[in-house]
């Protein structure tokens, strides 16, 4: 029987969710990031991206900057990631650890570090200069927004009686960044345009309507002060800006061979394409046969016959195919939910004409103001927006055949970005991809797996030479050249050979969500196999029969040794052992799925698993971070490394390891709530895994604090006005971590178990619906709840049958899910309806 006021509607099918012309859940407020004025800082600008090309749009009136990125622009050339002197140093470090001389071992371990990673670069800027009249625009008419539903930035303002509109999007199918500038009166569009870069470059006019910019990245991380011929050739790049104006009026003038001037047009469309000479991590730029300018011209050719509207429609079709798979609506009261109690479905505004800029009165409030007021109003619709923003950023920065999303996704304006803008493997890169599987964006993970494959090539050399081990190894920081050796710098962060192992857990996760045996056989199993080979050789058996790691660090955290000296190198950090357990367990399960459990390596792993040093509980009841219960000089340290087994790992669970779960809870209390953005969202996910909705929500709320870029403080977290997450400065991992944490609060799963609303904050999100989340076992999940109680659950599997145990507040029901059928369960987890996809 239906509850009064709630009418059951069919759950959307996989086909519906994936169809770009389909319906999307209605949010209580539009999924838009809005401003009432141009950007004053880079973190006020708005991002667009197609995975490879990115842009930050400032929205200036008299003068506009569109800052550009291309994901293969890095300093340097392929490196040598081996050190023949490392084995001797390794032996000495191990002896010092065995002798309990941890401070001395830490000092000696510097000899195991190597050269620094290379640096992510920028492409350049499109500069637009408008007429003097634009200096006197009517400020109250200004509106700037990023529409997440359409992956489009729009800027609107008036000068006297003329309304000007700009639209910007980055198309993945056509690999182009598109800008359209129009005015409400004929012939009102006039401006000059140029291309420039902070890198070594030159630009020129090609024909009557193109600007070509060609340049190069430094061949070394810090270009040496010497003759240019002594500097190795770096990655070359080219960008082409192709400009079109209205046919009946509008003229393009060439100015000083570097700038174009558009006069008296109804509209102008700018097409930006770019390419580089990067030909993979193992090819020197000097050996590359790629011609960036020819490739850029080639990229323009097939789209020249498309109108702006056709380009926009193709962009929407591609983007919404991904974005529309998941919808989320949260509310404190039933009045905020659509009348039938479910997420009413509506069509995405995919029309390319008549786009509404202003929206409702709520949309007049800038997003920065919404962030400011969140601590008092706790508006659930802002959580919806930030959740979907993480999905938007992942779609925009990581697509098949692109580079991995780096420390800033793809968006960067600096020659020397903070922490090199490089992938950091001791949390940041992995966090970037936490939302990909549960939030129905598995394709966006493909660059990560391509990256792991290249790392395994260099990592095999590093393992053999540096550690005299089989298999492959990667440390905490890498770059586009697939650097695998320890970085230059402090041992406390550089000496951590578990980066590749952590990445391998993503390979197994991908299989558990998709059950794709072809992927498991061709991609995941060989990489897991190589990783496990290294780990087996890296482990050392102690006199008590335990397998341990030595040297071992807990990422970026020191301890006080028994002699009172600060140190970071010892035995078997808890994180080391937790990651190794995950990798070994994944490899054994993979072998079983592929019927290869008789492989010799699998037999070795099976024997090693029970001998791995176990997770220990300290005297204060918390999880021990190191093998010994060392004094912790910084109990509020930002990293939660010793809790890896809880999240993202699976060796600590509320049901199976209650004592360790309690110790993890004590550890979280001990760590406290302060820290950078990524730490905040990791804590939210950890509390979610513990089914602690109160503290998970406290961390959600903690992140939603507005950061002033003029007065930011390191390690305090928060959000900038464009919702980029702050360390500070900007690091994109917290945006992705937030999305993953919210999904974890709503749905958790193993291959056989599905937990519904395990950490729902009842008084904050009392009512709501989520549709299209993914669970392990290949199942798509949709849930509606009201007044804090489950109302309805929809489950379906597109490609395979599944056996799921549904868990909700102590109730457990077994559900047999056949592919191609939607199963609807009520609040008591009773099956009430089935229908075919």
């Amino acid at each position: 029987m239906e509850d009064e006021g709630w009418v059951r509607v069919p759950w959307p099918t996989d086909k519906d969710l994936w169809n770009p012309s389909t319906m999307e859940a209605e949010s209580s407020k539009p999924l838009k990031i809005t401003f009432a004025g141009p950007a004053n800082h880079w973190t006020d600008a708005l991002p667009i991206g197609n995975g490879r090309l990115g842009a930050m749009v400032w929205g200036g009136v008299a003068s506009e900057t569109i800052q550009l990125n291309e994901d293969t622009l890095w300093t340097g050339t392929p490196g040598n990631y081996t050190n023949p002197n490392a084995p001797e140093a390794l032996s000495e470090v191990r002896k010092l650890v065995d002798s309990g001389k941890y401070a001395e071992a830490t000092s000696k371990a510097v000899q195991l570090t190597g050269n620094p990673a290379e640096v992510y670069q920028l492409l350049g800027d499109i500069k637009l200069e408008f007429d003097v009249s634009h200096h006197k625009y009517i400020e109250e008419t200004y509106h700037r927004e990023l529409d997440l539903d359409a992956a489009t930035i729009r800027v609107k303002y008036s000068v006297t009686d003329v309304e000007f509109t700009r639209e910007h999007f980055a198309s993945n199918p056509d690999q182009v960044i598109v800008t359209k500038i129009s005015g409400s009166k004929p012939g009102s569009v006039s401006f000059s345009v140029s291309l420039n870069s902070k890198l070594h470059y030159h630009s020129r006019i090609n024909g009557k309507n193109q600007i070509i910019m060609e340049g190069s990245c430094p061949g070394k991380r810090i270009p040496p002060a010497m003759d240019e011929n002594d500097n190795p050739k770096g990655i070359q790049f080219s960008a082409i800006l192709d400009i079109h104006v209205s046919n009946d009026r509008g003229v393009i003038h060439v100015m000083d061979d570097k700038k174009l001037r558009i006069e008296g047009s109804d509209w102008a469309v700018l097409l930006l394409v770019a390419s580089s000479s990067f030909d993979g991590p193992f090819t020197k730029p000097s050996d590359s046969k790629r011609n960036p300018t020819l490739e850029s011209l080639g990229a323009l050719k097939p789209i020249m016959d498309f109108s702006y509207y056709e380009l926009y429609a193709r962009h929407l079709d591609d983007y919404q195919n991904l974005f529309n798979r998941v919808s989320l609506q949260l509310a404190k009261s039933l009045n905020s939910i659509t009348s039938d109690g479910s997420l009413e479905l509506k069509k995405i505004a995919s029309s390319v004409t008549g786009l509404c800029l202003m929206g409702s009165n709520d949309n007049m409030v800038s997003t920065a103001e919404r962030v400011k007021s969140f601590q008092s109003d706790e508006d659930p619709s802002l959580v919806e927006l930030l959740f979907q923003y993480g999905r938007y950023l992942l779609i925009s920065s990581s697509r098949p055949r692109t580079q991995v999303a780096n420390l800033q996704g793809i968006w960067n304006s600096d020659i020397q970005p903070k922490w090199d803008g490089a992938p950091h493997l001791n949390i940041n890169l992995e966090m970037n991809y936490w939302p990909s599987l549960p939030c129905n964006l598995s394709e966006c993970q493909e660059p990560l797996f391509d990256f792991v494959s290249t790392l395994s090539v260099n990592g095999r050399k590093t393992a053999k030479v540096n550690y005299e081990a089989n298999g492959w190894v990667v440390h905490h920081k890498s770059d586009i050249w697939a650097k695998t050796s320890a970085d230059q710098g402090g041992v406390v962060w550089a000496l951590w050979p578990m980066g590749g192992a952590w990445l391998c857990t993503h390979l197994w996760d991908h299989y558990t969500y998709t059950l794709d045996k072809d992927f498991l056989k061709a991609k995941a199993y060989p990489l897991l196999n190589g990783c496990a080979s290294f780990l087996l050789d890296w482990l050392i058996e102690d006199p008590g029969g335990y397998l341990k790691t030595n040297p071992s660090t807990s990422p970026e955290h020191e301890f006080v040794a028994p002699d009172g000296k600060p140190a970071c190198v010892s035995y078997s950090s808890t994180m080391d052992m937790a990651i190794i357990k995950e990798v070994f367990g994944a490899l054994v399960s993979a072998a079983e799925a592929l019927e290869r459990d008789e492989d010799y390596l699998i037999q070795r792993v099976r024997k090693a698993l029970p001998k791995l040093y176990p997770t220990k509980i300290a005297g204060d009841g918390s999880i021990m971070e190191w093998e010994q219960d060392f004094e912790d000089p910084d109990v509020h340290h930002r990293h939660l490394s010793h809790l890896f087994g809880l999240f993202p790992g699976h060796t600590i669970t509320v049901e199976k390891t209650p004592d360790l779960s309690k110790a993890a809870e004590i550890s979280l209390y001990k760590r406290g709530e302060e820290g950078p953005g990524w730490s905040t969202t990791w804590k939210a996910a950890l509390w979610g895994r513990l089914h602690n909705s109160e503290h998970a929500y406290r961390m959600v709320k903690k992140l939603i604090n507005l950061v002033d870029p003029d007065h930011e403080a390191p390690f305090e977290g928060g959000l900038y006005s464009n919702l980029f997450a702050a360390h500070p400065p900007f690091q994109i991992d917290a945006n992705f971590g937030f999305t993953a944490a919210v999904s974890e609060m709503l749905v958790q799963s193993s291959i056989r178990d599905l937990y519904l609303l395990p950490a729902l904050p009842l008084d904050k999100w009392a009512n709501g619906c989520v549709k299209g989340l993914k669970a392990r076992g290949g199942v798509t999940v949709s849930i509606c709840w009201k007044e804090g109680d489950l109302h309805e659950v929809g489950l379906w599997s597109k490609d395979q049958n599944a056996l799921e145990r549904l868990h909700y507040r102590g109730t457990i029901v077994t559900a047999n899910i056949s592919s191609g059928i939607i199963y609807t369960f009520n609040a008591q987890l009773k099956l009430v309806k089935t229908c075919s996809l």
Side-chain angles (χ1 to χ4, degrees):
M1 175 179 262
E2 302 292 347
D3 292 348
E4 184 178 355
W6 287 66
V7 180
R8 180 177 292 114
V9 296
W11 295 103
T13 66
D14 278 319
K15 179 181 177 182
D16 288 331
L17 285 171
W18 294 353
N19 189 328
S21 64
T22 192
M23 324 271 179
E24 160 77 333
E26 187 171 358
S27 178
S28 33
K29 291 182 181 177
L31 291 174
K32 295 180 178 181
I33 299 172
T34 60
F35 290 85
N40 294 315
H41 302 88
W42 189 78
T43 49
D44 301 328
L46 288 168
I48 52 175
N50 64 15
R52 183 179 67 87
L53 295 173
M56 295 289 286
V57 179
W58 287 59
V61 177
S63 177
E64 167 66 310
T65 298
I66 303 171
Q67 186 264 313
L68 304 168
N69 290 106
E70 202 273 355
D71 69 352
T72 63
L73 299 191
W74 285 73
T75 64
T77 63
N80 176 12
Y81 308 116
T82 63
N83 176 9
N85 299 318
E88 181 180 351
L90 175 64
S91 178
E92 294 180 21
V93 170
R94 283 176 167 168
K95 289 176 182 177
L96 289 168
V97 171
D98 288 338
S99 301
K101 298 178 179 179
Y102 304 114
E104 292 83 351
T106 299
S107 297
K108 187 66 178 179
V110 171
Q111 295 181 21
L112 295 173
T113 61
N115 295 322
E118 294 296 340
V119 184
Y120 183 52
Q121 298 290 275
L122 45 81
L123 177 57
D125 297 321
I126 300 174
K127 292 286 190 179
L128 306 176
E129 299 291 337
F130 291 86
D131 292 339
V132 175
S133 62
H134 281 59
H135 287 281
K136 299 180 180 180
Y137 75 99
I138 305 170
E139 292 188 11
E140 55 267 29
T141 66
Y142 186 96
H143 181 83
R144 178 167 55 101
E145 69 178 30
L146 168 58
D147 180 352
L148 301 187
D149 282 331
T152 302
I153 294 171
R154 305 185 186 106
V155 179
K156 179 180 177 181
Y157 58 89
S158 294
V159 177
T160 61
D161 60 345
V162 180
E163 184 178 73
F164 290 94
T165 303
R166 302 179 203 155
E167 294 174 358
H168 310 263
F169 63 90
S171 167
N172 178 269
D174 294 314
Q175 289 296 299
V176 61
I177 293 174
V178 182
T179 294
K180 183 181 181 183
I181 304 169
S182 56
S184 61
K185 286 191 173 183
S188 58
V189 173
S190 298
F191 62 94
S192 61
V193 58
S194 60
L195 266 179
N196 58 50
S197 177
K198 295 178 182 177
L199 296 176
H200 176 75
Y201 84 101
H202 65 274
S203 62
R204 56 187 169 87
I205 304 300
N206 184 43
K208 296 182 179 179
N209 69 324
Q210 285 184 353
I211 304 175
I212 296 179
M213 179 175 70
E214 297 169 316
S216 61
C217 299
K220 288 188 177 180
R221 175 189 167 91
I222 302 174
M226 60 178 66
D227 188 274
E228 187 174 337
N229 294 328
D230 294 327
N231 193 22
K233 184 177 183 180
I235 294 171
Q236 310 294 294
F237 65 85
S238 177
I240 299 179
L241 188 64
D242 188 82
I243 302 160
H244 301 262
V245 297
S246 53
N247 293 329
D248 51 343
R249 58 175 62 85
V251 180
I252 303 176
H253 300 287
V254 176
M255 303 171 64
D256 65 25
D257 197 38
K258 293 184 179 180
K259 185 182 293 188
L260 294 175
R261 174 75 186 170
I262 290 82
E263 292 281 1
S265 187
D266 296 345
W267 51 262
V269 173
L270 283 60
L271 307 177
L272 187 284
V273 295
S275 299
S276 86
S277 64
F278 179 73
D279 200 16
F282 312 124
T283 301
K284 295 179 181 179
S286 59
D287 294 336
S288 174
K289 300 297 190 281
R290 295 183 60 181
N291 184 315
T293 299
L294 289 180
E295 289 189 13
S296 295
L297 288 169
L300 272 175
K301 188 175 181 180
I303 64 176
M304 296 303 289
D305 293 333
F306 290 131
S307 69
Y308 172 79
Y309 303 106
E310 289 170 323
L311 287 171
Y312 191 57
R314 287 165 59 84
H315 155 68
L316 284 177
D317 182 77
D318 167 78
Y319 169 76
Q320 292 180 344
N321 177 52
L322 294 166
F323 187 75
N324 288 3
R325 294 174 182 176
V326 174
S327 59
L328 174 66
Q329 187 180 10
L330 303 172
K332 296 178 183 178
S333 67
L334 275 176
N335 293 334
S336 303
I337 300 289
T338 50
S339 59
D340 69 355
S342 67
L343 275 128
E344 182 152 293
L345 305 175
K346 70 179 182 71
K347 285 207 171 187
I348 285 295
S350 57
S351 168
V352 295
T353 58
L355 291 165
C356 175
L357 285 171
M358 303 309 292
S360 64
N361 289 334
D362 284 334
N363 204 28
M364 296 292 288
V365 179
S366 74
T367 302
E369 291 299 321
R370 294 176 65 188
V371 174
K372 280 184 183 179
S373 64
F374 187 82
Q375 295 301 309
S376 57
D377 65 30
E378 300 183 59
D379 177 10
S381 68
L382 187 57
V383 175
E384 299 170 22
L385 179 65
L386 193 55
F387 170 85
Q388 293 287 25
Y389 190 45
R391 296 183 69 246
Y392 165 83
L393 291 172
L394 186 57
I395 295 169
S396 302
S397 63
S398 184
R399 299 289 288 272
R401 297 172 299 282
T402 73
Q403 304 301 308
V404 289
N406 62 47
L407 203 61
Q408 296 181 184
I410 51 174
W411 299 281
N412 166 48
S413 62
D414 300 319
I415 295 293
Q416 288 287 337
K418 191 68 173 177
W419 301 296
D420 303 333
H424 288 63
L425 279 59
N426 65 4
I427 176 60
N428 315 101
L429 177 61
E430 291 87 356
M431 184 179 280
N432 284 0
Y433 288 93
W434 283 356
S436 59
L437 291 169
C439 297
N440 215 333
L441 295 173
S442 62
E443 299 94 326
C444 295
Q445 226 181 3
E446 288 187 24
L448 181 67
F449 300 146
D450 293 340
F451 187 51
V452 175
S453 293
T454 60
L455 288 172
S456 71
V457 176
N458 284 337
R460 193 169 293 275
K461 300 173 186 176
T462 303
K464 182 178 181 179
V465 176
N466 291 27
Y467 302 132
E468 298 178 329
N470 293 301
W472 60 276
V473 62
V474 184
H475 292 74
H476 105 287
K477 186 178 180 182
S478 190
D479 54 30
I480 200 170
W481 307 108
K483 172 182 168 61
T484 53
S485 56
D487 207 54
Q488 188 179 76
V491 171
V492 70
W493 46 265
L495 185 61
W496 189 73
M498 293 291 144
W502 189 344
L503 289 177
C504 278
T505 67
H506 286 251
L507 295 162
W508 176 244
D509 260 355
H510 184 83
Y511 173 74
T512 64
Y513 273 91
T514 64
L515 301 184
D516 182 348
K517 282 197 175 181
D518 290 337
F519 168 83
L520 185 65
K521 180 179 180 179
K523 191 77 150 184
Y525 189 79
L527 290 168
L528 281 164
N529 195 298
C531 177
S533 294
F534 169 76
L535 294 174
L536 286 168
D537 286 355
W538 182 247
L539 288 163
I540 299 171
E541 188 167 349
D542 74 1
Y546 282 120
L547 292 175
K548 299 181 177 181
T549 56
N550 175 16
S552 177
T553 60
S554 190
E556 305 187 29
H557 199 187
E558 290 186 327
F559 57 84
V560 178
D563 59 6
K565 297 177 182 178
C568 65
V569 174
S570 66
Y571 290 112
S572 307
S573 71
T574 299
M575 190 184 212
D576 274 11
M577 305 316 296
I579 290 175
I580 293 171
K581 288 172 191 173
E582 292 282 342
V583 171
F584 282 3
L587 183 61
V588 169
S589 297
E592 291 172 352
L594 297 174
E595 299 180 350
R596 297 188 59 171
D597 47 340
E598 297 303 319
D599 288 4
Y600 174 66
L601 183 73
I602 304 304
Q603 299 307 310
R604 291 183 63 200
V605 168
R606 284 185 184 278
K607 290 179 181 178
L609 263 168
K611 297 168 68 175
L612 294 175
Y613 191 79
T615 300
K616 296 285 189 177
I617 298 176
D620 63 1
S622 64
I623 299 286
M624 283 170 54
E625 187 163 357
W626 300 275
E627 184 192 287
Q628 294 186 44
D629 196 1
F630 293 123
E631 178 186 345
D632 187 345
D634 182 9
V635 294
H636 301 308
H637 194 266
R638 59 196 176 276
H639 280 258
L640 291 304
S641 305
H642 54 314
L643 301 184
F644 176 93
L646 176 62
F647 186 93
H650 309 89
T651 54
I652 299 176
T653 67
V654 171
E655 290 183 333
K656 295 180 180 179
T657 59
D659 291 344
L660 289 178
S661 294
K662 180 62 179 177
E665 181 178 314
I666 293 172
S667 298
L668 281 168
Y669 281 118
K670 186 176 176 181
R671 270 296 195 260
E673 297 183 351
E674 302 303 316
W678 60 264
S679 179
T680 302
T681 58
W682 194 358
K683 290 170 185 171
L686 286 161
W687 282 116
R689 271 285 168 89
L690 291 171
H691 300 181
N692 189 316
S693 58
E694 176 189 354
H695 281 85
Y697 181 78
R698 283 172 65 91
M699 302 318 298
V700 165
K701 186 176 179 181
K702 178 74 177 175
L703 183 72
I704 306 178
N705 272 290
L706 191 65
V707 175
D708 179 354
D710 288 327
H711 302 93
E712 63 187 27
F715 305 109
E716 287 194 355
L719 300 172
Y720 294 104
S721 63
N722 65 359
L723 296 189
F724 272 169
H727 185 287
F730 163 53
Q731 277 187 204
I732 204 168
D733 40 27
N735 288 104
F736 296 133
F738 180 90
T739 300
V742 170
S743 71
E744 197 72 19
M745 294 165 74
L746 302 176
V747 173
Q748 294 176 24
S749 65
S750 66
I751 291 183
R752 291 287 178 261
D753 292 275
L754 178 58
Y755 299 85
L756 306 171
L757 308 179
L760 178 73
L762 302 182
D763 57 335
K764 307 300 181 182
W765 308 336
N767 305 279
C769 284
V770 63
K771 293 189 178 183
L773 292 181
K774 286 288 188 178
R776 292 173 177 86
V779 175
T780 305
V781 184
S782 294
I783 310 172
C784 284
W785 64 95
K786 66 173 187 175
E787 300 302 337
D789 288 323
L790 181 69
H791 177 68
E792 200 169 61
V793 181
L795 305 177
W796 62 96
S797 177
K798 182 183 179 185
D799 298 318
Q800 59 268 316
N801 299 334
L803 180 66
E804 295 286 333
R805 286 188 295 267
L806 308 184
H807 298 252
Y808 178 68
R809 294 185 182 176
T811 299
I812 304 174
V813 172
T814 300
N816 290 292
I817 307 298
S818 298
S819 62
I821 299 176
I822 304 171
Y823 296 81
T824 302
F825 300 83
N826 65 13
Q828 290 74 43
L829 299 185
K830 180 181 178 181
L831 180 63
V832 294
K833 185 177 180 181
T834 63
C835 63
S836 298
L837 291 178

